[in-house]
Amino acid sequence: MDKERLYSEIVNNIRDGVYFVDTERRITFWNKAAEDITGYRKEEIIGKCCQSNLLNHIDKEGRELCLLGCPLYWTLADGKQRGGEVFLRHKNGHRVPVRVGTFPVTEDGAILGAIEIFTQSSPVVYDDVLVEELTNLAMNDQLTGLANRRKIESYIDFRLSEMKRFQNNFGVVFMDIDDFGEFNNRYGHGAGDAALKSVSMSVGSSVRKNDLFGRWGGEEFVGVFEVKNGSEAIRVAEKVRALIAGTEVRVGGGGVSVTASLGVTMAKEDDTVESVIKRADSLMYRSKRAGKNRVMAD
C-alpha cells in the first residue's frame, strides 16, 4: 500500500471529522467521520465552497461564521492555527455542538490550503429552532427582522479583510428616513413602526445573496453591497431610494408615502468599520441639506 492510500485510510477511520479546503475555500477532501457527524456524504460536499453555508456554523454568540468570517478563512489569511466551539447544522436540520481546530497546509512558505478537524462536543443535539431564535436575538433587529448594528459591523469588518486579500470591492449605503419624527407625531408610533417594517420589506426583499441590508438604529439603515465601482454603487443606492419612495404605509385606511436620504461610498483598503460608516453617514447628511429624498456620493 502506498503512503497516500495509507494516510487516506487512517484519516477515513478516525472518529474526528476532517476536511481540506484550497485557497478559494473549496472543499476537496471530506472523511467518513465528517459524513457521520454532519449527515452530508462526500459526494454532496466535495467541490463546494465552505462559504456556501451548507453547515451554517454559528458560534456561542450567535454570529454566522460562514457569513462573517470563519476560522478557516482567517487561517488561510494569516497561516495561524485556531480553535473554538461552534454549532453546525446537520443535514436533517438540528444543531450539533462541535469543537473545531484549523491548521494551514504550506509548501515552501506558501499557504496551499487549510484543514479543519471537528469533534462532536457532547452527545446532545440542539433543536434548530431554539438555536435560530438565539441567533436572531443576538444578530437581528427584533422589529424589522433585518441585521442589527452588531451584525452590520461584523459584516463590514469581514468584507474589509476580504477586500484586502481578494480585491473584492464593495460599497456602503447609509440611509435615514426623512422627517420620521414628524411622521411619528402625526400618525403615532404604531404607524412609525409600520413604516420601518414596510421599508425593511421593500429593500430587504431585493438584496442579493452577497449583500447585507440592516437597521443601524432608529430610522437609520445601512446597506453593504458588492459593486465594482462608484457608478455601480450609486445605481444600487438610487434603486434603494426609489423602492422606498414607492412604498406606502397603511394608516387609517389610507396609504402614506415615505422617502429617505442616502449617502453612498466605496470602501477603501485603509478603511476601518468606523471610517467607512462615518463617510457614508456624512454623505447622507449632505442629502438632507440638499433637499432630502436623494443620493449623495463622494
Side-chain angles (χ1 to χ4, degrees), residues 107-146:
E107 185 175 57
D108 298 326
I111 297 175
L112 303 180
I115 294 170
E116 180 170 306
I117 300 175
F118 58 99
T119 307
Q120 190 165 335
S121 300
S122 74
V124 178
V125 295
Y126 293 79
D127 183 83
D128 199 41
V129 174
L130 173 61
V131 177
E132 292 302 331
E133 286 177 354
L134 294 174
T135 300
N136 286 336
L137 287 172
M139 304 300 283
N140 293 335
D141 175 63
Q142 297 307 294
L143 176 66
T144 65
L146 297 177

Side-chain angles (χ1 to χ4, degrees), residues 240-259:
V240 171
R241 185 201 60 76
L243 282 170
I244 295 166
T247 298
E248 279 195 346
V249 183
R250 306 307 297 174
V251 177
V256 180
S257 297
V258 294
T259 63

